[in-house]
Every structure is written in C-alpha cells, then in structure tokens.
C-alpha cells in the first residue's frame, strides 16, 4: 500500500469542514498571543509558500532546493513533508523567507501580461479560486498585481470572504506552530551507521590479533624457560644471554598485555558512549513529542470546551 502523503496546510485549507473549523482557529489564535502578533500579510505569504511546498513532489522540491542552494540534511530529500517542516522551523529567518518566497512563487512575464488584458480580473479570479483563495491572492501581490488582488477580493462571495478571513487566522496559528515545534532527534544516516560498524569490526580484529600475540609470547617464554633449564650446566655466558632474552620476552609480553587492556577499555568506552547517546536521543525525542503534543493541545483544542472537537 502506498504511503499516504502528509501536507503542511492543504488538508486544512480544503473546503470540506473548513467552516466548522473556523471557530476553532479563532479560539486557538486567542490562546496564543505570539501567533496573534503576526500580520495578515505575513500569514498570506506563509500560506502561499506552504501550499507551494505541498503541491510539489519530492523530485520537484529537491530540484528547487538544490537550485537555490539552501543547505539541509541529505536524508530529508526522500520525504517532502519532513523537508518542508525543516525549512519552516527556520521561517523566522528573513533572508531564508525572502529567498523561498522569491524562488518558489514567480509568475512568468507572459502570465503577468495575460492578467493585464481586458479580462484580467476573470483570469485572476479563476486562479485565486483554484489556488485555495489566500495563496492565490498572495501570488498576485507577489507579482505586483495588487490592483487585481483587490478586485478579486472585492468580488468574493460572503462564503469566500468568511473562508479567507478564517484562512488568515489559521495561517498565523499554523505558521507559529511550525516555527516553534521542537525538531525531532536526527537519525544517523546509513553511511554513519556503517562507519561505526566498520570501526567496531576493526577493534574486534585488533583485539583478536593482540590475543594471538599474547598466546605466541607465552609459548616463546615457555620455550626459553625450558632452554634455560637445559643449559643450566653449560657456560655462564650462554645462561646470561638466555636470561636477557627471557627478560626481553617478558617485557614484550607486559607491553602487549597493556595494549590489549587499553584496547578492551577503549571498546568498552565506545560501547558506553554509544549507549548513552542512544538513551539521550530517546529522552530528547520523548521530551520533544511531549512538548509538541502540549503545544498542539494549547493551540488547537478549544479552551473550556467539552473536548469533542
């Protein structure tokens, strides 16, 4: 079964159920002074860019991001929703916001000329309706067609006017939510996981090699002791030479054992560090989800209501 596409704003901007949600949007805005401080123009521009992200497929969105040179985690290129959320957490950056608005929404000069003809208002009205009202009006303003935007807005039906006003309220709440929700813990890429596995495998090989060296040195020491016993009655110089050789082997064994112990300790520290990082990541993720749920409840659940939506 194909994975269901998640949207930033298109689901909430759909006509179905929008009138019923308008009061919920107003209550959420009243409960959030930070969101209420945004202007209608900011809300409209946000809805324009967010809807454009929703309309794009992963390939289109990836090509756009590469063309304008905005850095992002590479693993997000395969998930349009998560990539969109990544940029909207940084929506407060004026430079980034302007770059996205300029590159994502730009009418071709031929399209602008078409709107300037005698029937331009009709074409503008059709486009605004097709683009869910607020995003369409924002595109007209972005293309310096403010007079057409005003004409289209003036010709709204009562239902369209009510929906547009509710959209501006929703845009402020949703924009604040996307900018302030905690960013989920980053999952290591497959390349990073493979790199850690290669390092652990290398340590295993080194420890195995050191173990074989220790066994070999023990065998050499035993052989030297047997030789010393065998030549105890031979000339003293030979005994001294063998004793010095045995001492050298003993020192080499101690050094090898020290390296072996150090390698074991390093591996234990790495395992403990990896385990602590995983525990910290799990704690951060859990805390982030709890704060996100608390913020969602504060923004979207009517205060003082019966909890039935």
């Amino acid at each position: 079964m194909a994975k269901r596409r998640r949207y930033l704003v298109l689901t909430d901007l759909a006509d179905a159920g929008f009138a019923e949600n308008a009061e919920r949007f107003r209550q959420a805005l009243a409960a959030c002074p930070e969101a209420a401080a945004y202007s209608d123009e900011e809300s409209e521009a946000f809805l324009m860019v967010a809807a454009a992200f929703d309309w794009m497929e992963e390939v289109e969105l990836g090509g756009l991001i590469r063309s304008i040179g905005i850095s992002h985690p590479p693993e997000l290129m395969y998930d349009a929703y998560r990539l969109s959320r990544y940029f909207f957490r940084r929506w407060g950056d004026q430079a980034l916001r302007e770059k996205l608005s300029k590159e994502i929404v730009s009418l071709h000069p031929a399209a602008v000329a078409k709107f300037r003809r005698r029937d331009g208002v009709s074409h503008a009205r059709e486009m605004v309706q097709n683009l869910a009202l607020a995003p369409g009006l924002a595109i007209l303003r972005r293309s310096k067609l403010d007079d057409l935007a005003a004409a289209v807005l003036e010709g709204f039906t009562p239902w369209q006017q009510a929906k547009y006003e509710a959209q501006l309220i929703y845009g402020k709440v949703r924009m604040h939510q996307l900018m302030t929700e905690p960013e989920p813990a980053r999952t290591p890429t497959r390349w990073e996981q493979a790199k850690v596995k290669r390092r652990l495998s290398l340590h295993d090989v080194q420890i195995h090699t050191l173990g074989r060296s220790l066994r070999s040195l023990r065998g050499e020491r035993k052989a030297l002791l047997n030789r010393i016993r065998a030549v105890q009655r031979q000339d003293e110089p030979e005994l001294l030479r063998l004793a010095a050789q045995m001492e050298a082997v003993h020192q080499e064994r101690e050094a090898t054992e020290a390296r072996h112990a150090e390698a074991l300790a390093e591996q234990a520290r790495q395992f403990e560090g990896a385990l602590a990082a995983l525990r910290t990541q799990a704690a951060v993720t859990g805390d982030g989800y709890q704060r996100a749920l608390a913020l969602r409840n504060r923004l979207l659940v009517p205060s003082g209501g019966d909890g039935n939506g």
Side-chain angles (χ1 to χ4, degrees):
M1 181 180 295
K3 185 177 179 182
R4 185 178 179 181
R5 173 77 181 267
R6 293 181 295 175
Y7 296 104
L8 294 170
V9 297
L10 285 188
T11 301
D12 292 324
L13 291 181
D15 289 344
F18 196 89
E20 292 78 1
N21 290 327
E23 181 59 30
R24 179 166 60 89
F25 297 152
R26 282 190 283 271
Q27 291 178 0
L29 186 68
C32 184
E34 296 90 346
Y38 299 129
S39 67
D40 291 347
E41 291 76 13
E42 289 177 296
S43 176
E44 199 176 70
F46 158 75
L47 290 174
M48 170 189 69
V49 177
F53 268 77
D54 281 342
W55 283 317
M56 292 181 186
E57 297 296 334
E58 283 86 349
V59 175
E60 295 176 299
L61 185 56
L64 172 68
I65 298 304
R66 284 192 295 270
S67 68
I68 59 181
I70 301 178
S71 61
H72 60 279
E75 65 269 18
L76 298 185
M77 287 300 300
Y78 305 99
D79 190 330
Y81 178 79
R82 290 182 61 207
L83 181 60
S84 302
R85 291 291 301 267
Y86 173 83
F87 287 116
F88 278 107
R89 287 189 191 94
R90 294 148 184 82
W91 186 247
D93 183 342
Q94 177 66 32
L96 175 64
R97 184 166 64 248
E98 181 62 26
K99 198 168 189 178
L100 287 174
S101 299
K102 179 180 179 181
E103 296 294 337
I104 288 180
V105 184
S106 58
L107 290 177
H108 192 274
V112 175
K114 179 180 178 181
F115 284 121
R116 287 300 184 191
R117 295 172 187 167
R118 185 179 303 176
D119 56 350
V121 174
S122 297
H123 288 303
R125 182 179 296 112
E126 181 181 359
M127 185 194 75
V128 169
Q129 291 175 350
N130 291 337
L131 298 183
L133 302 185
L137 286 172
I139 291 175
L140 289 177
R141 299 189 210 282
R142 187 78 193 181
S143 304
K144 302 187 184 304
L145 298 172
D146 299 80
D147 54 333
L148 291 182
V152 172
L153 186 58
E154 185 178 352
F156 273 175
T157 65
W159 186 88
Q160 288 176 324
Q161 182 65 34
K163 180 179 179 181
Y164 172 69
E165 293 173 357
Q167 284 181 335
L168 295 180
I169 295 174
Y170 165 73
K172 295 175 184 180
V173 174
R174 184 61 169 156
M175 175 169 53
H176 184 71
Q177 180 187 23
L178 292 180
M179 286 195 297
T180 57
E181 278 187 347
E183 191 159 354
R186 180 177 176 271
T187 302
T189 64
R190 286 180 294 179
W191 181 84
E192 291 171 332
Q193 293 173 355
K195 185 177 180 181
V196 172
K197 289 181 180 178
R198 287 196 299 271
R199 287 181 176 176
L200 292 177
S201 297
L202 178 60
H203 280 293
D204 289 339
V205 171
Q206 290 174 337
I207 290 174
H208 181 69
T209 302
L210 287 173
R212 288 194 303 177
S213 298
L214 283 174
R215 289 191 295 271
S216 177
L217 288 172
R218 291 192 187 103
E220 291 181 13
R221 181 174 181 273
K222 183 177 180 180
L224 285 173
L225 288 174
N226 290 335
R227 287 186 61 188
I228 290 174
R229 294 189 186 101
V231 298
Q232 282 180 347
R233 296 183 180 181
Q234 293 181 4
D235 294 340
E236 184 176 351
E238 178 66 9
L239 290 176
L240 292 176
R241 185 181 66 79
L242 290 175
Q245 196 173 16
M246 186 182 73
E247 179 62 22
V249 170
H250 180 66
Q251 291 178 357
E252 178 62 21
R253 176 195 171 193
E254 289 183 341
T256 302
E257 288 179 340
R259 291 194 298 272
H260 183 255
E262 182 178 355
L264 287 175
E266 177 60 24
Q267 186 180 50
R269 284 194 296 271
Q270 289 191 359
F271 284 148
E272 287 296 326
L275 183 59
L278 289 173
R279 287 173 176 166
T280 301
Q281 185 182 48
V284 170
T285 302
D287 183 62
Y289 288 155
Q290 291 297 325
R291 287 187 291 167
L293 286 173
L295 178 60
R296 177 182 178 273
N297 291 334
R298 181 166 71 88
L299 293 179
L300 301 181
V301 176
S303 60
D306 58 5
N308 293 327

